[in-house]
Amino acid sequence: MQNRFNRGMATLVGLVLAGTGLAAVSAAPAAAGSYDCPAGYFCGWTGKSANGSMWKTNKNVADLGSWDNKIRSYTNRTKKIACVYEDKNYVPWGGYWAQEPNEPGEYSGYPVATTSSIKFVRTERECSQTAYPRWFSQTSPKALGFGDMNGDRRADMVIRDKAGRLWFTPGNGTGKLIGSSGWNKMNALTRHGDFNGDGREDLIAREASTGKLWLYPGTSTGKLGKRKLVGSSGWNAMANLISVGDFSGDGRPDLATVTNKKYVIDGYSGHPGWLVSYRGRSNGTLTAGERTDGEWWGLNGFC
């Protein structure tokens, strides 16, 4: 369980920069009243030990109305993070708590009742800012052919948050959700290449549980198309996946990898540090890997 208090002053110059101070608030021992809060709800009490009158909600509340500044203890029985604000309308600069889900019977109390609004989010950063970072890139005078997923001549970024969502940020300060869940199941993501020859940049992802490699084709909107299996197994033996452009000179993007200790040579594992290259085909699949060099061990960053 996590409970934080944050205060900040903001200056807006394209990006929002906020300083925060933190003060821990520990969960109190279970009280009879705390068990009255049903699963799926955030509950608050007028007493500081989960006693007195109880109020509950499972939806965002911008103004607590008659309960404004009345809650002195609370528990979060939802599956999301509860942002508990001192100001109405989810304004973070006056101060807020980011309360992760509680176990049954747990609650937190504080001596002064200051809660005025409550919002439920997937990640803590959403208590005070957007789920994705805002960033800006300049428009290129000509088509990029690299780093531009939606064809607007701006460099783009694809970002995964802690909740396993995938965001497309087109370099104009905005963001678009292109993967609502499940992306934490992937333990490697790489892009910067049109692997299937449709003129759009694609995304390659490795599935942690199976070692499978998937191609997610890019579209004109920045969203991703239906995925295609391009590697059926064994890709967890690669420490790094590196999209390096066309190194084979055939006009198609290729993929480079560096092996880890799981990599097998002649039936035996334990061969880290090999550079293995895979040439791209016109349909987005890859040729068999070619070992080129075994001196890539002891390194931890490639781009």
Side-chain angles (χ1 to χ4, degrees), residues 93-109:
W93 316 127
Y96 69 89
W97 289 259
Q99 179 61 54
E100 293 187 357
N102 291 109
E103 295 295 327
E106 287 184 340
Y107 72 94
S108 295

Side-chain angles (χ1 to χ4, degrees), residues 182 184-189 204-214 216 227 229 231-232 235-236 241:
N184 281 339
K185 295 178 181 179
M186 305 297 178
N187 61 1
L189 303 173
I204 287 180
R206 180 177 62 194
E207 193 171 22
S209 62
T210 63
K212 292 180 178 179
L213 203 66
W214 297 93
Y216 292 82
R227 71 180 187 176
L229 185 66
S232 59
W235 288 87
N236 278 335
L241 305 180

Side-chain angles (χ1 to χ4, degrees), residues 186-250:
M186 305 297 178
N187 61 1
L189 303 173
T190 188
R191 52 178 285 253
H192 288 313
D194 175 20
F195 287 92
N196 61 358
D198 64 355
R200 303 293 180 189
E201 273 213 345
D202 307 316
L203 177 71
I204 287 180
R206 180 177 62 194
E207 193 171 22
S209 62
T210 63
K212 292 180 178 179
L213 203 66
W214 297 93
L215 173 72
Y216 292 82
T219 68
S220 60
T221 63
K223 294 182 178 180
L224 299 173
K226 184 178 180 180
R227 71 180 187 176
K228 179 178 182 178
L229 185 66
V230 294
S232 59
S233 63
W235 288 87
N236 278 335
M238 304 301 170
N240 303 90
L241 305 180
I242 317 160
S243 293
V244 292
D246 175 23
F247 56 70
S248 61
D250 61 2

Side-chain angles (χ1 to χ4, degrees), residues 76-99:
N76 178 19
R77 296 294 315 285
T78 74
K79 294 182 179 180
K80 294 184 177 181
I81 294 172
C83 308
V84 184
Y85 300 92
E86 287 198 353
D87 292 335
K88 298 177 181 180
N89 300 312
Y90 322 124
V91 176
W93 316 127
Y96 69 89
W97 289 259
Q99 179 61 54

Side-chain angles (χ1 to χ4, degrees), residues 190 195 235 238 240-245 247 254-258 274-279 286 296:
T190 188
F195 287 92
W235 288 87
M238 304 301 170
N240 303 90
L241 305 180
I242 317 160
S243 293
V244 292
F247 56 70
D254 304 312
L255 182 69
T257 66
V258 178
W274 278 89
L275 181 68
V276 183
S277 59
Y278 298 82
R279 286 179 290 171
L286 301 167
W296 288 69

